[in-house]
Amino acid sequence: MQDTALKSAAQSITADVIIRAEKIEKFYAQPNMHRIQVIAPTDLSIAPGEIVALLGPSGSGKSTMLRMLSGLSRPSAGCVYWHEKPIGEVEINVSIVFQTFALFPWLTVLENVEAPLKARGVPSAQRHERSMRMLDTVGLDGFEAAYPKELSGGMRQRVGFARALVVEPEVLFMDEPFSSLDVLTAENLRSELLELWAKKTMPTRSVFLVTHNIEEAVLLADRIIVLGRNPGHIRTDFRVQLPQPRDRKTDAFTQLVDYIYKVLTRPEVPPEGVPEQQAGTRAPERREMRYQMLPHARPGGMAGLLELLLDKGGRDDIYRLADDLAFEIDDLLPIVDAAQLLGFLKIEEGDAAITESGAEFANSEILRQKELFREAAQKNVLLLRQIRRALDSKSDHTVPEEFFLDLLDEQFSSEESQRQMETAITWGRYAELFDFDAGRRRFVMPDALEEEIEGGGEAE
Ligand code: ADP
Ligand code: MG
């Protein structure tokens, strides 16, 4: 116990990376002197405490990458380090689980699990004890005397896991370990693996999982790396922050699946903007924030987007919308966000779906649009509501910008506060919630309303 505490303290001081690949490449020489580049120069590290999933289309080099990282094959160039020592020069402690477990058919389940310990020279009694314990862990107690052919696919897979885990690998590599199983068996084994991992029943400190199944990656991984092909290269590498156990039906889950799907299917689009993952489980500091971050979009842009969306039956893929508008996705997203903030559209599985109020907005004349925008803004945007409330309650119906900038500054950087203010002014003017006197830097009542009030109209 003390030993492990010491060990982990030492590890946090020294390297907190177990495997580090530096500019590794793989190419194959051809008889005609050309070479086939399978992996472009790539940097990649595996840290303790994480399940890393490597996703990619078939032929993108996932297995090749796994083989290089696990020491099974040498990179053509670059170097893989195991605790900062070149991998060919030190003993490494890894196991690999393959899609089809090459179990020895002439050995019993127990003998299959013992085999790698035997190869490592572990004495017989210890071998037996450790293997029995591991078979128990993976739910195969009672099957130790069976032969592989007597077992179902799922049970054979369990033997494979037991055989990989019995050597107590520091890193467990898996190459599509669930893909030859039926859906239910795969699902069971996945959750059992997660349970072992979470309970720290296995000594393994990192798991590196190759898969082409997006949902599997989002279910299991703490970090997802997506490979592109020709030659293999990393397209995106990000953390999955959804709490375990994960629920496929949550918005955050489906949004992440959709994001990865897009990265995989659109190799020409630079992958950006990993979706927010804390839907419903926001970090406390976020909850304390008073002001939403206003996306810097113009009302006219929102109107254009909503009209197009309505034209397309009220729902469309965001990327397709960007294409149709000849927008970069980065330029479209703030508009989508803004429309979402105002309740004019919803994001569902990567689609933008217009809401009832969004449809009404898109169908209306300009004056009615302003009215709808005003209602939506007052309902949904705290800053706009506050500015208007202040104007209503002050007898001279004017408030300095400074007052709100100070409040914004508590939450945003001063440049961002400025940008937030500019956006709020644009929206508020459009909605005729207020006007802004740029000379005096003061909010004032819009003209029409001012007259009304002066003429004895109601305030508040
Ligand atoms: P993945 O696991 O992502 O499906 P692989 O790592 O198995 O991809 O293969 C990546 C690419 O490397 C494939 O296009 C494959 O044809 C090529 N490849 C693998 N081995 C060799 C080899 N010995 N000679 C030439 N090309 C190879
Ligand atoms: Mg493969």
Side-chain angles (χ1 to χ4, degrees), residues 63-231:
S63 297
T64 305
M65 196 68 101
L66 177 143
R67 296 167 76 86
M68 290 194 290
L69 292 172
S70 62
L72 205 61
S73 89
R74 288 323 247 338
S76 312
C79 191
V80 180
Y81 299 90
W82 172 260
H83 291 288
E84 296 305 319
K85 299 213 180 65
I87 214 169
E89 297 172 12
V90 285
E91 202 153 304
I92 65 171
N93 182 17
V94 303
S95 293
I96 311 178
V97 174
F98 294 99
Q99 180 178 345
T100 50
F101 297 110
L103 300 180
F104 303 117
W106 61 88
L107 297 182
T108 63
V109 165
L110 178 63
E111 288 162 345
N112 264 288
V113 177
E114 280 189 54
L117 294 176
K118 204 169 173 180
R120 293 183 184 206
V122 177
S124 163
Q126 210 185 325
R127 232 159 54 205
H128 182 84
E129 198 248 300
R130 277 171 69 176
S131 302
M132 288 299 280
R133 196 151 25 96
M134 194 46 76
L135 282 172
D136 199 13
T137 305
V138 300
L140 279 177
D141 51 327
F143 287 92
E144 52 280 355
Y147 285 89
K149 66 169 190 301
E150 302 171 50
L151 304 178
S152 67
M155 282 160 82
R156 267 181 246 160
Q157 218 75 340
R158 287 173 197 267
V159 180
F161 278 116
R163 195 173 66 180
L165 290 172
V166 77
V167 302
E168 311 202 331
E170 192 169 340
V171 182
L172 174 66
F173 285 94
M174 300 193 278
D175 194 344
E176 316 237 8
F178 308 107
S179 61
S180 64
L181 300 173
D182 66 85
V183 180
L184 277 179
T185 309
E187 194 72 5
N188 271 335
L189 268 184
R190 272 186 212 113
S191 41
E192 283 172 29
L193 182 80
L194 266 184
E195 217 179 294
L196 291 183
W197 170 256
K199 285 203 302 217
K200 309 248 186 291
T201 317
M202 51 190 203
T204 296
R205 298 173 73 214
S206 299
V207 174
F208 188 90
L209 166 76
V210 162
T211 177
H212 63 256
N213 182 329
I214 302 176
E215 288 201 356
E216 179 172 300
V218 178
L219 273 173
L220 299 180
D222 302 302
R223 178 181 157 205
I224 293 177
I225 302 173
V226 181
L227 280 193
R229 62 180 149 198
N230 293 325

Side-chain angles (χ1 to χ4, degrees), residues 416-436:
E416 188 52 46
S417 296
Q418 284 291 349
R419 279 200 298 270
Q420 289 292 313
M421 191 54 88
E422 278 163 34
T423 299
I425 291 171
T426 308
W427 291 15
R429 276 178 158 164
Y430 171 83
E432 295 176 9
L433 273 169
F434 51 74
D435 209 345
F436 184 68

Side-chain angles (χ1 to χ4, degrees), residues 313-449:
R315 186 189 178 104
D316 202 1
D317 181 284
I318 296 172
Y319 285 79
R320 201 153 41 231
L321 282 167
D323 267 359
D324 290 351
L325 290 163
F327 269 40
E328 294 298 328
I329 190 74
D330 280 356
D331 297 331
L332 184 64
L333 285 181
I335 304 177
V336 171
D337 282 352
Q340 194 181 7
L341 175 65
L342 291 170
F344 290 151
L345 65 75
K346 284 200 174 111
I347 303 295
E348 295 165 353
E349 294 167 28
D351 281 358
I354 204 162
T355 60
E356 214 173 295
S357 65
E360 190 186 353
F361 180 87
N363 268 327
S364 299
E365 297 299 318
I366 180 84
L367 282 177
R368 177 70 185 139
Q369 279 192 339
K370 279 175 180 269
E371 222 171 272
L372 290 167
F373 193 96
R374 179 159 64 237
E375 284 165 19
Q378 273 190 297
K379 184 165 156 226
N380 297 296
V381 184
L382 175 64
L383 179 58
L384 294 177
R385 192 161 60 234
Q386 284 183 333
I387 296 173
R388 179 53 197 252
R389 181 73 54 87
L391 287 178
D392 283 339
S393 57
K394 275 194 70 186
S395 56
D396 63 352
H397 303 303
T398 142
V399 190
E401 177 194 32
E402 190 86 43
F403 178 72
F404 292 102
L405 271 179
D406 283 348
L407 293 174
L408 288 172
D409 272 344
E410 285 172 18
Q411 195 176 310
F412 301 106
S413 71
S414 58
E415 301 100 84
E416 188 52 46
S417 296
Q418 284 291 349
R419 279 200 298 270
Q420 289 292 313
M421 191 54 88
E422 278 163 34
T423 299
I425 291 171
T426 308
W427 291 15
R429 276 178 158 164
Y430 171 83
E432 295 176 9
L433 273 169
F434 51 74
D435 209 345
F436 184 68
D437 180 340
R440 293 191 299 149
R441 308 297 306 171
R442 291 181 82 90
F443 293 101
V444 294
M445 277 289 185
D447 289 344
L449 276 162

Side-chain angles (χ1 to χ4, degrees), residues 236-253:
T236 175
D237 179 344
F238 62 92
R239 307 211 70 82
V240 182
Q241 284 148 341
L242 308 176
Q244 290 283 11
R246 295 183 184 151
D247 180 353
R248 293 171 197 259
K249 287 186 224 74
T250 59
D251 286 351
F253 192 99

